[in-house]
Amino acid sequence: MPHSVKLVTPTSNTEVPDHTINTPLPHLSQEFCITADSLGSYEFRQAYGLKYAYLSGAMYRGIASKELVVAMANAGLMGFLGTGGCSLDQIENDLLHIQHALTTGQAYGLNLVCNLNDPAHEMALVSLYLKYAVPCIEAAAFISMTPALVLYRVSGLYRDTDNQVASHYKIIAKVSRPEVANAFLQPAPLRIIEQLLRRGQITPEQAKMSQSILMCDDICVEADSGGHTDQGQPSVLLPAIQSLRDSVVSAQPFAHAPRIGLAGGIGTPTSAAAAFIMGADFIMTGSINQCTVEAATSDVVKDMLQSINVQDTDYAPAGDMFELGSKVQVLKKGVFFPARANKLFQLYQQYDSINALPTTIQTQLQEKFFKKSFDEVWQEVAQYLTQTDRANDIIKAQTDTKYKMARIFRWYFSYSMKLAFAGTTQDKVNFQVHTGPALGAFNQWVKGSKLMRN
């Protein structure tokens, strides 16, 4: 009888499908049991006070809710509050809820999304994090280091008992490209340090210490995932970033070597096992958490998601980076959103203004896509830009017709997400739901068990 390594899940009150993951190892003389709390990096679990090397990632507009973060923390895991697209007041209220609920040192974190269009908002968010001493952030969508991110990193610097530079504030960088990982595997850029020093936002001692520590504590390699994605392959990306980390760390005299985790496509125990077998120090799940009780999306969306399979997703332009052509992975089954979003991007590439669109297309967009006239959409856009102190964007739209068209088209992406959050069934075909095939795999795994809702 061949021997094997058996992955044993911890005992709990939750019934799970009776699946066993066996990896034949004929050369071993006995069976070795690997428990869930021994997977991944021991140092990683110790650094964050975790029972399991398992994180839940942030999801846009607070779908990764305060309740989800608290539930993860109480289970010995760590979750990140989704802050992208949320107001500062909402984020502050959610943060206070988390801190009041977690009183025994449980791990938690908040998301920080790079905001190239509004760096002032990014800085305001970091100021909020520092005000409440948020211990860890998930840094997402960064192309390069920003003043806000550097401020968060440097503000927590101190010297430990071995006189090594350490930080009270940890950064887990979510990356999908080696050049971005490389930026996080360096000390803070001196030009930004000097800028923060001139403004009095950091001290001379913090400026000095900043060059003795990397910009991140750990890196999460994000393969093809729900939401924003570069469509990377985990078996290619993870080894590449691991090798980059090893190369950079060997040339740096710093004490800490960032651990490398994996996200994207992890929806079943087999997927998690594959990540750990490839050497991931931790794993992070994302879109599969949307069907939890704690996820802050509508029950209508949860019902739609519980029926999907691995082929029921598609790629569409990202609304926040529409002009750049960046992609998000979204639900395809039962909705028109991905087809309509891609149509809008094609029209943006082909035409220079709303008025240049053929009459039939103008009618289609207003009646089927927007359910409003272009003028009504623009009035809403202008009102939003005014409320967010972006009057310059309104002025630009008055002279740049292509830019104005882009702003009108981008309204659809915000509109489609609001519909999904509200569960507006009469316009369900326009729902924008960020998800990946991992959720389809999860649905197949729990099929026939008590975890699958009837």
Side-chain angles (χ1 to χ4, degrees):
M1 181 176 181
H3 301 289
S4 64
V5 173
K6 182 181 291 183
L7 300 181
V8 182
T9 57
T11 302
S12 70
N13 293 324
T14 302
E15 181 175 332
V16 298
D18 185 20
H19 300 320
T20 302
I21 305 168
N22 291 301
T23 305
L25 296 171
H27 61 284
L28 295 179
S29 59
Q30 60 182 359
E31 185 179 82
F32 292 87
C33 288
I34 302 175
T35 59
D37 55 5
S38 68
L39 294 170
S41 165
Y42 171 80
E43 289 184 355
F44 179 84
R45 298 195 304 272
Q46 288 294 108
Y48 295 92
L50 305 179
K51 185 176 182 180
Y52 310 113
Y54 178 15
L55 314 178
S56 66
M59 288 178 281
Y60 195 61
R61 289 188 182 271
I63 294 177
S65 65
K66 58 184 184 297
E67 292 84 6
L68 180 59
V69 172
V70 171
M72 290 288 290
N74 287 331
L77 314 171
M78 181 164 69
F80 291 95
L81 178 71
T83 63
C86 298
S87 69
L88 290 174
D89 288 342
Q90 179 186 341
I91 296 168
E92 184 173 19
N93 289 335
D94 288 352
L95 173 55
L96 288 173
H97 174 94
I98 293 168
Q99 291 187 335
H100 290 158
L102 304 179
T103 58
T104 58
Q106 301 101 313
Y108 74 93
L110 275 72
N111 176 238
L112 180 68
V113 180
C114 181
N115 196 332
L116 296 176
N117 293 323
D118 192 0
H121 178 80
E122 185 182 321
M123 183 62 77
L125 192 54
V126 164
S127 298
L128 182 67
Y129 293 172
L130 295 177
K131 175 183 176 181
Y132 291 102
V134 172
C136 181
I137 63 170
E138 174 201 69
F142 283 86
I143 300 172
S144 60
M145 301 302 96
T146 65
L149 185 64
V150 172
L151 176 62
Y152 178 83
R153 183 56 160 174
V154 176
S155 294
L157 296 184
Y158 69 98
R159 291 193 178 273
D160 62 20
T161 54
D162 297 323
N163 203 36
Q164 295 287 340
V165 175
S167 180
H168 291 297
Y169 302 136
K170 298 184 183 300
I171 294 178
I172 298 180
K174 186 183 283 187
V175 306
S176 56
R177 302 173 67 90
E179 67 269 24
V180 178
N182 187 63
F184 278 101
L185 290 168
Q186 306 295 328
L190 277 173
R191 60 177 179 80
I192 297 180
I193 291 296
E194 292 169 355
Q195 177 185 357
L196 295 175
L197 189 59
R198 287 195 304 269
R199 293 175 177 174
Q201 293 176 283
I202 61 174
T203 67
E205 178 62 18
Q206 288 171 332
K208 182 178 179 181
M209 287 190 292
S210 72
Q211 299 307 294
S212 298
I213 192 171
L214 305 179
M215 270 299 297
C216 71
D217 294 274
D218 299 288
I219 289 176
C220 183
V221 175
E222 186 176 26
D224 193 28
S225 60
H228 291 79
T229 179
D230 283 333
Q231 305 174 44
Q233 296 298 316
S235 59
V236 175
L237 269 178
L238 182 62
I241 304 300
Q242 288 169 330
S243 296
L244 175 63
R245 183 272 315 272
D246 293 343
S247 175
V248 171
V249 167
S250 66
Q252 299 276 12
F254 305 148
H256 173 64
R259 280 83 46 159
I260 310 295
L262 182 63
I266 300 176
T268 65
T270 307
S271 302
F276 287 122
I277 289 170
M278 284 195 295
D281 292 316
F282 60 93
I283 60 173
M284 178 185 287
T285 57
S287 56
I288 66 167
N289 301 319
Q290 288 183 95
C291 285
T292 61
V293 173
E294 296 85 2
T297 190
S298 66
D299 287 343
V300 175
V301 166
K302 293 178 184 181
D303 289 342
M304 295 170 70
L305 288 175
Q306 76 165 5
S307 67
I308 71 170
N309 210 324
V310 294
Q311 75 276 12
D312 292 326
T313 64
D314 203 352
Y315 298 99
D320 56 347
M321 293 183 282
F322 177 78
E323 295 95 320
L324 299 176
S326 296
K327 296 290 186 181
V328 288
Q329 190 165 196
V330 296
L331 176 66
K332 176 176 67 174
K333 182 180 180 181
V335 298
F336 294 154
F337 171 77
R340 290 179 172 179
N342 280 302
K343 177 69 172 180
L344 290 175
F345 185 66
Q346 292 169 1
L347 293 172
Y348 171 74
Q349 290 181 304
Q350 187 175 357
Y351 297 95
D352 291 328
S353 71
I354 287 289
N355 293 333
L357 297 173
T359 303
T360 55
I361 291 179
Q362 291 189 37
T363 301
Q364 181 189 37
L365 296 184
Q366 293 174 98
E367 293 183 355
K368 301 294 186 182
F369 289 34
F370 300 163
K371 305 294 181 68
K372 292 184 179 183
S373 69
F374 293 140
D375 288 340
E376 289 173 319
V377 171
W378 174 246
Q379 287 175 8
E380 289 191 19
V381 171
Q383 183 179 13
Y384 167 77
L385 293 174
T386 300
Q387 292 172 345
T388 55
D389 297 324
R390 298 170 67 179
N392 287 338
D393 288 355
I394 299 176
I395 296 173
K396 181 178 180 180
Q398 292 172 347
T399 56
D400 188 339
T401 57
K402 194 175 185 70
Y403 177 75
K404 184 175 182 178
M405 178 171 63
R407 296 300 317 197
I408 291 173
F409 284 0
R410 286 174 63 175
W411 174 91
Y412 175 73
F413 293 81
S414 176
Y415 167 71
S416 59
M417 293 200 78
K418 290 177 181 177
L419 291 173
F421 289 135
T424 309
T425 55
Q426 62 266 32
D427 202 10
K428 190 163 64 172
V429 294
N430 278 315
F431 280 14
Q432 179 183 176
V433 181
H434 292 185
T435 190
L439 185 50
F442 174 83
N443 288 339
Q444 298 310 303
W445 181 65
V446 300
K447 194 172 184 178
S449 77
K450 289 184 178 180
L451 289 179
M452 176 61 76
R453 289 175 56 188
N454 296 323

